[in-house]
Amino acid sequence: MSKTTLAIIAGVSAAAGSAATAAIFASRSQRKDSLPPTASSTPTSNYAPAPLTPGSQIPALRKDLIPPVNPTGIFQYGFPGPVNDLHPTLSTTSSFDRRTKNPAWVAEHITAASINANNADRRHSYFVEDESIPEKFRARLHDYFRSGYDRGHQVPAADAKWSQDALDQTFLLTNMCPQVGEGFNRDYWAHFEDFCRRLTNHYPSVRIVTGPLYLPKRDHEDGKWRVSYEVIGDPPNVSVPTHFYKVIFAEDGKTGGDVSLGAFVLPNARIDNEKPLQGFEVPIEAIERASGLEFAGKLPAQRRKRLCEQVTCSLLVRDYADRQKNLMGSSPPKKLGAGPTPK
């Protein structure tokens, strides 16, 4: 196992997630320091079946054979799924996972102009349920009530101050996951979000995909790996992720130009603000393997750069109260009942 891999695993270990993160890297023992290109998905038509066991054979397709059954007839009653609700808003594009009641991923695009704009006031924004999701599949406000978890933005509100409508839409529950509050969502994770915004000082265009992970952890008694996570709500139905990822595409602004890629996995747990961000850097393939998603299959290897080789991947720690003040405009808050819950 390379020193880089060991460092990554050790980094997450310090934040209560070593076993789960180690699982991601189980097959990356020979990984070099630079992020390798992501292999594109293998088309189904080129899939190579497993070797046949003795006596087994694949039945030949016969055009003259009329089956006595029609399995696809079930579609007359509806398509079982899975259905991933693709949900674009002014500030985000996301895919919602109806099973976990969390987004599978949320994408955003930021620039220096969008970040420096200050046309919105967070005091006018409120957490709301997303009625575009069927009622039985959506997360609800009361699911988070006294759960012990924050309604954690995947795309942060601070990235959408260019419009009040855009800012308001970041408060949809389809942009939320249960996150540990103190020590993570209000601290290390928020500093990480600030790092992403500061990338617009170096790149004219930055795209970020954020989402939850549910990673296995080794049982100390029998040594087996299991996926285990809390579920909140009444009835319990909103899954609490074990980890979160961000995949960053920092674009140089040229047609067909270079893209600096950064991929990070952080445990949903308290993290010391002194912990180096680069300790959570992972190969993009590790996130793809763990999430079942693909992020850069169409980005040629010759256009890829490693983000942390182009810029210093480090956090600028700021007090939570100061960050909140930066989100507030100078106008007085509207009197619309209870104010928004801090992120």
Side-chain angles (χ1 to χ4, degrees):
M1 182 175 291
S2 70
K3 292 182 179 179
T4 303
T5 299
L6 287 171
I8 294 171
I9 296 175
V12 180
S13 176
S18 59
T21 305
I24 302 179
F25 299 95
S27 62
R28 304 299 299 176
S29 59
Q30 304 302 319
R31 184 177 69 87
K32 297 182 179 180
D33 285 343
S34 59
L35 293 179
T38 304
S40 59
S41 297
T42 304
T44 303
S45 59
N46 294 334
Y47 174 72
L52 298 177
T53 57
S56 65
Q57 62 180 3
I58 299 177
L61 296 177
R62 293 176 48 188
K63 295 181 179 180
D64 61 332
L65 179 63
I66 300 177
V69 295
N70 177 22
T72 58
I74 193 67
F75 295 157
Q76 67 183 300
Y77 306 115
F79 177 66
V83 174
N84 293 311
D85 301 275
L86 188 62
H87 187 28
T89 72
L90 290 171
S91 47
T92 69
T93 294
S94 64
S95 179
F96 188 73
D97 185 343
R98 295 182 174 187
R99 183 180 63 85
T100 64
K101 310 296 190 298
N102 289 321
W105 54 266
V106 189
E108 61 173 315
H109 180 215
I110 57 176
T111 65
S114 72
I115 293 300
N116 292 328
N118 191 17
N119 304 320
D121 187 340
R122 182 176 178 142
R123 289 174 295 190
H124 299 166
S125 300
Y126 301 89
F127 291 99
V128 292
E129 297 173 9
D130 193 333
E131 295 183 356
S132 70
I133 304 299
E135 184 175 2
K136 63 183 176 181
F137 297 124
R138 76 176 70 137
R140 295 185 172 278
L141 292 171
H142 66 71
D143 289 328
Y144 285 84
F145 182 65
R146 293 182 177 176
S147 68
Y149 293 96
D150 284 5
R151 292 165 288 198
H153 284 70
Q154 301 303 280
V155 168
D159 291 5
K161 294 188 298 177
W162 51 269
S163 160
Q164 188 65 48
D165 287 339
L167 181 67
D168 290 346
Q169 289 173 349
T170 67
F171 283 82
L172 289 167
L173 289 191
T174 43
N175 185 41
M176 305 293 160
C177 289
Q179 287 187 327
V180 170
E182 190 171 349
F184 185 65
N185 180 47
R186 306 172 205 170
D187 294 283
Y188 201 96
W189 183 255
H191 305 319
F192 185 22
E193 293 170 334
D194 178 68
F195 163 78
C196 295
R197 285 189 287 273
R198 288 188 285 114
L199 288 174
T200 61
N201 296 328
H202 303 277
Y203 297 92
S205 173
V206 179
R207 303 181 190 275
I208 307 163
V209 184
T210 305
L213 291 173
Y214 309 87
L215 301 184
K217 184 177 181 180
R218 187 190 293 274
D219 189 291
H220 295 297
E221 294 184 2
D222 60 17
K224 296 181 179 180
W225 292 86
R226 294 181 175 87
V227 176
S228 177
Y229 51 85
E230 187 177 349
V231 182
I232 63 173
D234 184 18
N237 67 114
V238 179
S239 301
V240 179
T242 64
H243 293 71
F244 289 92
Y245 68 83
K246 278 188 183 289
V247 178
I248 302 170
F249 302 79
E251 303 167 342
D252 67 5
K254 302 175 182 177
T255 302
D258 291 338
V259 179
S260 296
L261 282 177
F264 301 84
V265 172
L266 282 68
N268 188 12
R270 179 187 290 269
I271 303 176
D272 191 324
N273 283 332
E274 299 302 316
K275 187 68 187 174
L277 175 61
Q278 203 162 343
F280 298 106
E281 183 187 13
V282 301
I284 192 172
E285 294 89 348
I287 299 178
E288 291 176 329
R289 199 162 53 242
S291 65
L293 306 173
E294 189 169 22
F295 299 99
K298 294 185 178 181
L299 182 62
Q302 62 269 23
R303 294 180 56 197
R304 299 183 182 206
K305 302 290 184 180
R306 180 182 171 190
L307 179 66
C308 292
E309 289 181 346
Q310 308 302 310
V311 299
T312 301
C313 289
S314 62
L315 302 183
L316 179 61
V317 177
R318 299 172 59 193
D319 183 73
Y320 178 71
D322 290 340
R323 293 197 313 272
Q324 292 300 95
K325 290 179 182 178
N326 190 46
L327 283 175
M328 306 302 184
S330 57
S331 60
K334 293 181 181 179
K335 296 181 179 180
L336 297 176
T341 302
K343 180 189 169 188

